[in-house]
Amino acid sequence: MSKAHNILILPGDGIGPEVMEPIKKLITYFNSKGATFETSEDVVGGAGYDKYGTSLDDSTLAKAKAADVVMLGAVGGPKWDKVDYAKRPEAALLKLRKELDLFANLRPAIVFDALIDASSLKPEYVRGLDIMIVRELCGGVYFGEPRGIFDLGNGQRKGVNTQVYTTSEIHRVARVAFELARKRGNKVCSCEKGNVMESGRLWREEVTALHAAEYKDVELSHMYADAAAMVLLRNPKSFDVIVTDNLFGDILSDEASMLTGSLGMLPSASLGAPDANGKQSAMYEPIHGSAPDIAGQDKANPLATILSFAMALKYSFNMPKECAALERAVSSVLEANIRTGDIAAAGVKPVGTQAMGDAVLKALIAG
Ligand code: NAD
Protein backbone atom coordinates (compact mmCIF):
# COMPACT_ATOMS: atom_id res chain seq x y z
CA MET A 1 0.00 0.00 0.00
CA SER A 2 1.33 3.49 -0.76
CA LYS A 3 2.25 5.78 2.10
CA ALA A 4 -0.53 7.94 3.57
CA HIS A 5 -0.34 11.69 2.91
CA ASN A 6 -1.15 13.50 6.16
CA ILE A 7 -2.95 16.80 5.89
CA LEU A 8 -3.61 19.00 8.91
CA ILE A 9 -6.62 21.21 8.23
CA LEU A 10 -6.64 24.52 10.12
CA PRO A 11 -9.77 26.39 8.97
CA GLY A 12 -9.19 29.34 11.33
CA ASP A 13 -11.64 32.23 11.60
CA GLY A 14 -14.27 34.14 9.63
CA ILE A 15 -14.68 32.69 6.15
CA GLY A 16 -11.85 30.19 6.81
CA PRO A 17 -14.14 27.30 7.81
CA GLU A 18 -16.48 28.04 4.87
CA VAL A 19 -13.76 28.00 2.19
CA MET A 20 -12.25 24.84 3.70
CA GLU A 21 -15.45 22.76 3.29
CA PRO A 22 -14.95 22.24 -0.47
CA ILE A 23 -11.39 21.03 0.23
CA LYS A 24 -12.73 18.26 2.44
CA LYS A 25 -15.03 17.14 -0.38
CA LEU A 26 -12.16 17.21 -2.88
CA ILE A 27 -10.03 15.09 -0.54
CA THR A 28 -12.85 12.54 -0.21
CA TYR A 29 -13.17 12.47 -4.00
CA PHE A 30 -9.44 11.99 -4.62
CA ASN A 31 -9.38 9.21 -1.99
CA SER A 32 -12.21 7.47 -3.85
CA LYS A 33 -9.93 7.55 -6.91
CA GLY A 34 -7.00 5.91 -5.12
CA ALA A 35 -5.28 8.80 -3.29
CA THR A 36 -4.17 8.16 0.29
CA PHE A 37 -4.97 11.38 2.11
CA GLU A 38 -5.50 11.21 5.85
CA THR A 39 -6.77 14.38 7.48
CA SER A 40 -6.90 15.78 10.97
CA GLU A 41 -8.25 19.15 12.02
CA ASP A 42 -7.54 21.71 14.73
CA VAL A 43 -8.31 25.30 15.63
CA VAL A 44 -5.94 28.22 15.10
CA GLY A 45 -6.07 32.01 15.21
CA GLY A 46 -8.99 33.53 17.11
CA ALA A 47 -10.62 30.10 17.32
CA GLY A 48 -7.38 28.81 18.86
CA TYR A 49 -7.36 31.66 21.35
CA ASP A 50 -10.94 30.87 22.36
CA LYS A 51 -10.14 27.18 22.90
CA TYR A 52 -6.54 27.19 24.17
CA GLY A 53 -5.98 30.79 25.35
CA THR A 54 -3.38 31.29 22.63
CA SER A 55 -3.68 31.51 18.85
CA LEU A 56 -1.32 28.58 18.19
CA ASP A 57 -1.25 25.98 20.93
CA ASP A 58 1.87 23.82 21.31
CA SER A 59 -0.23 20.72 20.60
CA THR A 60 -1.41 22.26 17.30
CA LEU A 61 2.15 23.22 16.38
CA ALA A 62 3.29 19.64 17.06
CA LYS A 63 0.55 18.34 14.73
CA ALA A 64 1.64 20.84 12.06
CA LYS A 65 5.24 19.68 12.34
CA ALA A 66 4.20 16.03 12.01
CA ALA A 67 1.89 16.61 9.02
CA ASP A 68 3.03 16.43 5.39
CA VAL A 69 0.95 19.48 4.58
CA VAL A 70 -0.94 22.16 6.50
CA MET A 71 -4.02 23.57 4.76
CA LEU A 72 -4.86 26.90 6.36
CA GLY A 73 -8.02 28.98 5.87
CA ALA A 74 -7.59 32.45 7.36
CA VAL A 75 -7.18 33.96 10.81
CA GLY A 76 -8.29 37.12 12.59
CA GLY A 77 -11.34 39.23 13.15
CA PRO A 78 -12.67 42.12 15.22
CA LYS A 79 -13.57 39.82 18.13
CA TRP A 80 -9.85 39.46 18.93
CA ASP A 81 -8.70 43.01 18.16
CA LYS A 82 -7.86 43.71 21.80
CA VAL A 83 -6.00 40.46 22.44
CA ASP A 84 -2.37 40.74 23.54
CA TYR A 85 0.08 41.18 20.61
CA ALA A 86 1.82 37.83 21.23
CA LYS A 87 -1.45 35.89 21.40
CA ARG A 88 -3.38 37.63 18.64
CA PRO A 89 -4.67 35.48 15.74
CA GLU A 90 -2.10 36.75 13.21
CA ALA A 91 0.76 35.73 15.54
CA ALA A 92 -0.20 32.10 14.86
CA LEU A 93 0.71 32.53 11.20
CA LEU A 94 4.11 34.06 11.90
CA LYS A 95 4.87 31.34 14.44
CA LEU A 96 3.83 28.55 12.04
CA ARG A 97 6.07 30.01 9.31
CA LYS A 98 9.01 30.41 11.67
CA GLU A 99 8.66 27.07 13.48
CA LEU A 100 8.19 25.08 10.25
CA ASP A 101 11.01 27.15 8.70
CA LEU A 102 8.82 27.95 5.69
CA PHE A 103 11.38 30.17 3.99
CA ALA A 104 10.01 30.10 0.43
CA ASN A 105 6.66 31.73 -0.22
CA LEU A 106 5.25 30.92 -3.67
CA ARG A 107 2.64 33.30 -4.99
CA PRO A 108 1.44 32.57 -8.53
CA ALA A 109 -0.29 35.33 -10.47
CA ILE A 110 -2.41 33.65 -13.13
CA VAL A 111 -5.09 35.33 -15.19
CA PHE A 112 -7.96 33.05 -16.20
CA ASP A 113 -9.32 34.02 -19.61
CA ALA A 114 -12.86 34.13 -18.22
CA LEU A 115 -11.83 36.76 -15.64
CA ILE A 116 -9.69 38.94 -17.87
CA ASP A 117 -11.90 41.98 -17.34
CA ALA A 118 -11.35 41.81 -13.56
CA SER A 119 -7.69 42.79 -14.00
CA SER A 120 -6.65 46.37 -13.37
CA LEU A 121 -4.66 46.27 -16.64
CA LYS A 122 -5.91 46.14 -20.21
CA PRO A 123 -6.63 42.60 -21.50
CA GLU A 124 -3.72 42.61 -23.97
CA TYR A 125 -1.24 43.08 -21.10
CA VAL A 126 -2.50 40.20 -18.98
CA ARG A 127 -4.10 37.64 -21.34
CA GLY A 128 -2.39 34.31 -20.59
CA LEU A 129 -0.40 35.80 -17.68
CA ASP A 130 1.24 33.10 -15.57
CA ILE A 131 4.06 34.27 -13.31
CA MET A 132 5.39 32.93 -10.04
CA ILE A 133 6.81 35.13 -7.31
CA VAL A 134 9.11 33.39 -4.84
CA ARG A 135 9.47 35.53 -1.73
CA GLU A 136 11.98 34.78 1.02
CA LEU A 137 9.83 34.49 4.13
CA CYS A 138 11.93 33.83 7.23
CA GLY A 139 14.68 36.43 7.06
CA GLY A 140 15.49 39.95 5.99
CA VAL A 141 14.29 43.17 7.52
CA TYR A 142 11.19 41.65 9.19
CA PHE A 143 13.37 39.52 11.45
CA GLY A 144 16.84 41.14 11.47
CA GLU A 145 18.45 42.36 14.71
CA PRO A 146 18.89 44.94 16.11
CA ARG A 147 15.33 46.15 15.90
CA GLY A 148 13.17 48.37 18.06
CA ILE A 149 12.19 51.91 18.91
CA PHE A 150 14.88 53.59 20.97
CA ASP A 151 14.70 56.75 23.07
CA LEU A 152 17.65 58.99 22.26
CA GLY A 153 17.14 60.98 25.46
CA ASN A 154 17.03 64.36 23.73
CA GLY A 155 13.35 64.36 22.85
CA GLN A 156 14.09 62.23 19.79
CA ARG A 157 13.35 58.56 19.17
CA LYS A 158 14.90 56.18 16.66
CA GLY A 159 13.14 53.31 14.87
CA VAL A 160 15.47 50.53 13.74
CA ASN A 161 15.07 47.46 11.58
CA THR A 162 17.95 45.53 10.10
CA GLN A 163 18.06 44.00 6.63
CA VAL A 164 20.31 40.96 6.86
CA TYR A 165 20.86 37.91 4.65
CA THR A 166 23.49 35.18 4.67
CA THR A 167 24.80 33.12 1.77
CA SER A 168 22.83 30.02 2.77
CA GLU A 169 19.58 31.96 3.21
CA ILE A 170 19.96 33.38 -0.29
CA HIS A 171 20.98 30.08 -1.86
CA ARG A 172 18.10 28.06 -0.44
CA VAL A 173 15.40 30.40 -1.72
CA ALA A 174 17.15 30.93 -5.06
CA ARG A 175 17.38 27.17 -5.44
CA VAL A 176 13.59 26.90 -5.05
CA ALA A 177 13.18 29.53 -7.78
CA PHE A 178 15.58 27.80 -10.20
CA GLU A 179 13.94 24.41 -9.63
CA LEU A 180 10.48 25.90 -10.26
CA ALA A 181 11.69 27.67 -13.39
CA ARG A 182 12.93 24.39 -14.83
CA LYS A 183 9.33 23.08 -14.64
CA ARG A 184 7.88 26.28 -16.16
CA GLY A 185 9.33 28.85 -18.58
CA ASN A 186 12.97 28.30 -17.48
CA LYS A 187 13.55 31.97 -16.59
CA VAL A 188 14.39 33.53 -13.23
CA CYS A 189 14.51 37.26 -12.53
CA SER A 190 16.19 38.06 -9.22
CA CYS A 191 15.21 41.39 -7.63
CA GLU A 192 17.01 43.44 -4.97
CA LYS A 193 18.32 46.97 -4.42
CA GLY A 194 22.03 46.29 -4.74
CA ASN A 195 22.53 49.84 -6.03
CA VAL A 196 21.89 51.21 -2.52
CA MET A 197 22.04 48.20 -0.15
CA GLU A 198 24.97 45.92 0.64
CA SER A 199 22.55 43.08 1.44
CA GLY A 200 21.20 43.52 -2.09
CA ARG A 201 24.69 43.40 -3.58
CA LEU A 202 25.37 40.18 -1.69
CA TRP A 203 22.00 38.81 -2.87
CA ARG A 204 22.91 39.45 -6.52
CA GLU A 205 26.42 37.98 -6.16
CA GLU A 206 25.19 34.84 -4.42
CA VAL A 207 22.32 34.22 -6.87
CA THR A 208 24.82 34.65 -9.72
CA ALA A 209 27.28 32.22 -8.09
CA LEU A 210 24.62 29.57 -7.48
CA HIS A 211 23.39 29.94 -11.04
CA ALA A 212 26.91 29.48 -12.45
CA ALA A 213 27.54 26.43 -10.25
CA GLU A 214 24.24 24.54 -10.64
CA TYR A 215 21.66 26.17 -12.89
CA LYS A 216 23.37 27.38 -16.07
CA ASP A 217 20.51 25.89 -18.13
CA VAL A 218 18.07 28.40 -16.59
CA GLU A 219 17.99 31.94 -17.99
CA LEU A 220 18.87 34.36 -15.16
CA SER A 221 18.36 38.11 -15.12
CA HIS A 222 18.67 40.70 -12.35
CA MET A 223 16.52 43.75 -11.78
CA TYR A 224 16.34 46.39 -9.08
CA ALA A 225 13.10 45.88 -7.15
CA ASP A 226 11.75 49.34 -7.99
CA ALA A 227 12.29 48.70 -11.70
CA ALA A 228 10.58 45.31 -11.33
CA ALA A 229 7.56 47.08 -9.81
CA MET A 230 7.31 49.13 -13.01
CA VAL A 231 7.83 46.22 -15.39
CA LEU A 232 5.09 44.28 -13.56
CA LEU A 233 2.66 46.94 -14.77
CA ARG A 234 4.19 47.62 -18.18
CA ASN A 235 5.10 44.14 -19.40
CA PRO A 236 4.15 41.53 -16.76
CA LYS A 237 4.27 38.66 -19.25
CA SER A 238 8.04 39.18 -19.65
CA PHE A 239 8.48 37.45 -16.26
CA ASP A 240 8.39 33.74 -15.53
CA VAL A 241 9.75 33.27 -11.97
CA ILE A 242 10.71 36.24 -9.80
CA VAL A 243 12.83 35.59 -6.71
CA THR A 244 13.26 38.30 -4.11
CA ASP A 245 13.66 39.01 -0.43
CA ASN A 246 11.02 39.26 2.29
CA LEU A 247 10.33 43.01 2.08
CA PHE A 248 10.39 43.45 -1.70
CA GLY A 249 8.54 40.15 -2.12
CA ASP A 250 5.78 41.37 0.16
CA ILE A 251 5.24 44.43 -2.03
CA LEU A 252 5.83 42.89 -5.47
CA SER A 253 3.55 39.90 -4.79
CA ASP A 254 0.71 42.17 -3.64
CA GLU A 255 1.19 44.29 -6.76
CA ALA A 256 1.17 41.19 -8.98
CA SER A 257 -1.97 39.90 -7.30
CA MET A 258 -3.90 42.93 -8.47
CA LEU A 259 -3.08 42.03 -12.08
CA THR A 260 -5.34 39.02 -11.66
CA GLY A 261 -8.48 40.62 -10.20
CA SER A 262 -10.07 39.35 -7.00
CA LEU A 263 -8.44 38.44 -3.70
CA GLY A 264 -10.73 35.42 -3.70
CA MET A 265 -8.77 33.87 -6.59
CA LEU A 266 -5.22 33.94 -5.20
CA PRO A 267 -3.50 30.86 -3.77
CA SER A 268 -0.14 30.55 -2.05
CA ALA A 269 2.32 27.95 -0.85
CA SER A 270 5.03 28.25 1.79
CA LEU A 271 7.76 25.63 1.65
CA GLY A 272 10.61 24.60 3.91
CA ALA A 273 13.80 22.68 3.14
CA PRO A 274 13.62 18.88 2.76
CA ASP A 275 14.98 17.09 5.86
CA ALA A 276 17.33 14.07 5.81
CA ASN A 277 14.36 11.80 4.96
CA GLY A 278 13.19 14.08 2.15
CA LYS A 279 10.21 15.41 4.14
CA GLN A 280 9.57 19.05 3.28
CA SER A 281 7.36 21.22 5.51
CA ALA A 282 4.62 22.93 3.54
CA MET A 283 1.67 25.16 4.23
CA TYR A 284 -0.93 26.12 1.64
CA GLU A 285 -3.37 28.98 2.12
CA PRO A 286 -5.36 31.57 0.20
CA ILE A 287 -3.78 35.01 0.42
CA HIS A 288 -7.01 36.67 1.57
CA GLY A 289 -7.91 37.21 5.21
CA SER A 290 -10.90 36.11 7.24
CA ALA A 291 -13.25 38.65 5.58
CA PRO A 292 -15.37 39.34 8.68
CA ASP A 293 -17.73 41.47 6.55
CA ILE A 294 -19.03 38.40 4.70
CA ALA A 295 -18.25 35.61 7.19
CA GLY A 296 -20.99 33.08 7.88
CA GLN A 297 -23.06 34.19 4.89
CA ASP A 298 -21.99 31.62 2.27
CA LYS A 299 -20.68 34.49 0.12
CA ALA A 300 -16.93 33.84 0.12
CA ASN A 301 -15.13 32.72 -3.00
CA PRO A 302 -13.51 29.32 -2.23
CA LEU A 303 -11.39 29.25 -5.43
CA ALA A 304 -8.24 30.69 -3.81
CA THR A 305 -8.33 27.84 -1.28
CA ILE A 306 -9.13 25.27 -3.97
CA LEU A 307 -6.20 26.55 -6.07
CA SER A 308 -3.99 26.40 -2.96
CA PHE A 309 -4.96 22.73 -2.61
CA ALA A 310 -4.09 22.26 -6.30
CA MET A 311 -0.62 23.63 -5.49
CA ALA A 312 -0.33 21.08 -2.66
CA LEU A 313 -1.13 18.30 -5.14
CA LYS A 314 1.68 19.52 -7.38
CA TYR A 315 4.40 20.62 -4.99
CA SER A 316 3.92 18.33 -1.96
CA PHE A 317 2.16 15.20 -3.21
CA ASN A 318 3.75 14.84 -6.64
CA MET A 319 0.31 14.62 -8.28
CA PRO A 320 0.74 16.99 -11.26
CA LYS A 321 -2.04 15.35 -13.30
CA GLU A 322 -4.56 15.78 -10.50
CA CYS A 323 -3.37 19.38 -10.02
CA ALA A 324 -3.89 20.13 -13.70
CA ALA A 325 -7.33 18.46 -13.65
CA LEU A 326 -8.39 20.56 -10.67
CA GLU A 327 -7.13 23.79 -12.29
CA ARG A 328 -9.00 22.85 -15.49
CA ALA A 329 -12.16 22.26 -13.42
CA VAL A 330 -11.84 25.76 -11.91
CA SER A 331 -11.33 27.24 -15.36
CA SER A 332 -14.36 25.46 -16.84
CA VAL A 333 -16.61 26.59 -13.96
CA LEU A 334 -15.54 30.20 -14.59
CA GLU A 335 -16.15 29.81 -18.32
CA ALA A 336 -19.64 28.48 -17.53
CA ASN A 337 -20.20 31.81 -15.78
CA ILE A 338 -20.63 30.22 -12.35
CA ARG A 339 -19.31 32.96 -10.08
CA THR A 340 -19.36 34.04 -6.45
CA GLY A 341 -20.29 37.68 -5.79
CA ASP A 342 -16.72 39.04 -5.85
CA ILE A 343 -16.15 37.94 -9.46
CA ALA A 344 -19.72 37.88 -10.83
CA ALA A 345 -20.29 39.68 -14.12
CA ALA A 346 -23.04 42.32 -14.20
CA GLY A 347 -26.48 40.75 -14.48
CA VAL A 348 -25.30 37.25 -13.44
CA LYS A 349 -26.76 35.90 -10.19
CA PRO A 350 -23.87 34.87 -7.94
CA VAL A 351 -23.66 31.43 -6.36
CA GLY A 352 -22.67 30.75 -2.75
CA THR A 353 -19.42 29.34 -1.39
CA GLN A 354 -20.62 25.75 -1.15
CA ALA A 355 -22.36 25.80 -4.55
CA MET A 356 -19.10 27.05 -6.10
CA GLY A 357 -17.15 24.25 -4.40
CA ASP A 358 -19.73 21.69 -5.62
CA ALA A 359 -19.54 23.06 -9.18
CA VAL A 360 -15.74 22.60 -9.21
CA LEU A 361 -16.10 19.05 -7.88
CA LYS A 362 -18.73 18.28 -10.55
CA ALA A 363 -16.46 19.67 -13.28
CA LEU A 364 -13.54 17.64 -11.92
CA ILE A 365 -15.60 14.42 -11.96
CA ALA A 366 -16.83 15.22 -15.49
CA GLY A 367 -13.15 15.59 -16.49
P1 NAD B 1 -9.56 40.36 3.93
O1 NAD B 1 -8.72 39.69 2.91
O2 NAD B 1 -10.14 39.49 4.98
O3 NAD B 1 -10.78 41.12 3.21
C1 NAD B 1 -10.59 42.23 2.33
C2 NAD B 1 -11.83 42.37 1.43
O4 NAD B 1 -11.84 41.31 0.47
C3 NAD B 1 -13.15 42.24 2.20
O5 NAD B 1 -14.10 43.12 1.64
C4 NAD B 1 -13.57 40.81 1.98
O6 NAD B 1 -14.97 40.61 2.04
C5 NAD B 1 -13.01 40.52 0.60
N1 NAD B 1 -12.63 39.11 0.48
C6 NAD B 1 -11.56 38.51 1.05
N2 NAD B 1 -11.54 37.21 0.75
C7 NAD B 1 -12.61 36.97 -0.02
C8 NAD B 1 -13.13 35.80 -0.64
N3 NAD B 1 -12.55 34.61 -0.53
N4 NAD B 1 -14.29 35.92 -1.35
C9 NAD B 1 -14.88 37.11 -1.49
N5 NAD B 1 -14.44 38.25 -0.94
C10 NAD B 1 -13.31 38.19 -0.21
O7 NAD B 1 -8.67 41.50 4.59
P2 NAD B 1 -8.99 42.46 5.83
O8 NAD B 1 -10.44 42.85 5.82
O9 NAD B 1 -7.96 43.50 5.78
O10 NAD B 1 -8.71 41.57 7.12
C11 NAD B 1 -9.71 40.87 7.87
C12 NAD B 1 -9.03 40.04 8.93
O11 NAD B 1 -8.23 39.03 8.29
C13 NAD B 1 -8.08 40.83 9.82
O12 NAD B 1 -8.21 40.34 11.13
C14 NAD B 1 -6.70 40.54 9.24
O13 NAD B 1 -5.68 40.65 10.20
C15 NAD B 1 -6.89 39.09 8.81
N6 NAD B 1 -5.98 38.66 7.73
C16 NAD B 1 -5.59 37.38 7.78
C17 NAD B 1 -4.81 36.86 6.76
C18 NAD B 1 -4.45 35.41 6.80
O14 NAD B 1 -5.04 34.66 7.57
N7 NAD B 1 -3.52 34.95 5.98
C19 NAD B 1 -4.43 37.66 5.69
C20 NAD B 1 -4.89 38.99 5.64
C21 NAD B 1 -5.67 39.47 6.68
Side-chain angles (χ1 to χ4, degrees):
M1 225 174 86
S2 51
K3 188 180 158 293
H5 292 316
N6 293 304
I7 303 177
L8 174 64
I9 296 178
L10 298 175
D13 308 315
I15 61 171
E18 297 169 63
V19 295
M20 203 54 84
E21 276 310 305
I23 305 304
K24 296 179 192 171
K25 289 186 187 170
L26 287 168
I27 288 173
T28 305
Y29 168 72
F30 281 118
N31 276 345
S32 77
K33 293 284 163 192
T36 52
F37 294 123
E38 281 179 7
T39 59
S40 55
E41 192 168 329
D42 204 347
V43 289
V44 73
Y49 181 80
D50 289 346
K51 180 170 175 186
Y52 297 117
T54 180
S55 59
L56 179 68
D57 191 60
D58 287 346
S59 61
T60 314
L61 178 60
K63 284 183 212 165
K65 284 183 172 169
D68 294 310
V69 153
V70 175
M71 279 297 307
L72 186 103
V75 297
K79 181 179 172 193
W80 303 282
D81 274 353
K82 296 207 162 58
V83 169
D84 206 41
Y85 189 77
K87 293 180 177 177
R88 75 196 194 285
E90 292 76 6
L93 274 186
L94 297 182
K95 192 166 174 192
L96 271 168
R97 287 173 187 162
K98 198 77 193 162
E99 289 283 334
L100 299 181
D101 204 13
L102 302 171
F103 63 86
N105 183 224
L106 277 50
R107 293 253 306 246
I110 296 170
V111 171
F112 288 91
D113 273 354
L115 291 183
I116 202 143
D117 291 328
S119 172
S120 49
L121 293 193
K122 291 189 190 125
E124 59 266 33
Y125 288 106
V126 289
R127 192 179 307 283
L129 181 76
D130 178 0
I131 61 183
M132 176 72 85
I133 299 193
V134 180
R135 165 187 170 195
E136 200 289 326
L137 203 59
C138 286
V141 75
Y142 293 166
F143 294 98
E145 298 283 347
R147 62 183 298 160
I149 298 177
F150 302 98
D151 196 333
L152 298 180
N154 58 355
Q156 297 283 310
R157 294 189 302 156
K158 184 167 78 169
V160 178
N161 292 93
T162 303
Q163 167 82 334
V164 52
Y165 276 108
T166 63
T167 299
S168 58
E169 284 175 318
I170 298 166
H171 280 207
R172 67 180 187 170
V173 73
R175 190 167 267 121
V176 169
F178 285 127
E179 294 288 342
L180 276 170
R182 277 182 175 163
K183 295 181 192 146
R184 301 169 38 97
N186 215 33
K187 286 199 299 187
V188 170
C189 179
S190 170
C191 301
E192 28 62 29
K193 287 280 293 172
N195 49 342
V196 284
M197 297 168 75
E198 282 73 12
S199 59
R201 218 168 69 216
L202 180 79
W203 182 282
R204 187 178 287 220
E205 287 170 9
E206 292 298 343
V207 171
T208 304
L210 179 69
H211 175 255
E214 296 179 36
Y215 294 100
K216 275 205 189 104
D217 56 302
V218 180
E219 188 184 322
L220 172 66
S221 60
H222 302 274
M223 208 177 275
Y224 296 133
D226 49 342
M230 288 194 282
V231 178
L232 267 177
L233 296 183
R234 205 177 52 216
N235 189 12
K237 284 191 268 183
S238 63
F239 292 116
D240 176 28
V241 176
I242 292 175
V243 63
T244 189
D245 71 19
N246 205 343
L247 173 63
F248 298 134
D250 194 358
I251 296 165
L252 292 177
S253 61
D254 267 14
E255 184 190 355
S257 71
M258 281 302 99
L259 303 176
T260 72
S262 170
L263 266 180
M265 292 298 302
L266 295 161
S268 79
S270 303
L271 306 176
D275 65 17
N277 303 316
K279 181 176 175 313
Q280 182 178 33
S281 302
M283 182 159 82
Y284 296 85
E285 57 183 313
I287 72 151
H288 60 70
S290 59
D293 52 333
I294 55 168
Q297 299 172 41
D298 194 38
K299 283 185 179 166
N301 184 347
L303 293 182
T305 314
I306 290 174
L307 291 169
S308 301
F309 182 62
M311 290 182 83
L313 293 174
K314 188 169 177 178
Y315 297 119
S316 285
F317 299 129
N318 197 20
M319 296 168 71
K321 278 198 204 118
E322 289 81 354
C323 167
L326 185 52
E327 287 174 350
R328 269 199 314 277
V330 168
S331 195
S332 73
V333 163
L334 293 172
E335 268 150 33
N337 240 328
I338 300 170
R339 309 277 174 89
T340 43
D342 56 317
I343 50 171
V348 177
K349 190 172 176 291
V351 299
T353 310
Q354 302 316 319
M356 181 56 123
D358 290 347
V360 172
L361 180 57
K362 200 169 150 203
L364 179 68
I365 292 169

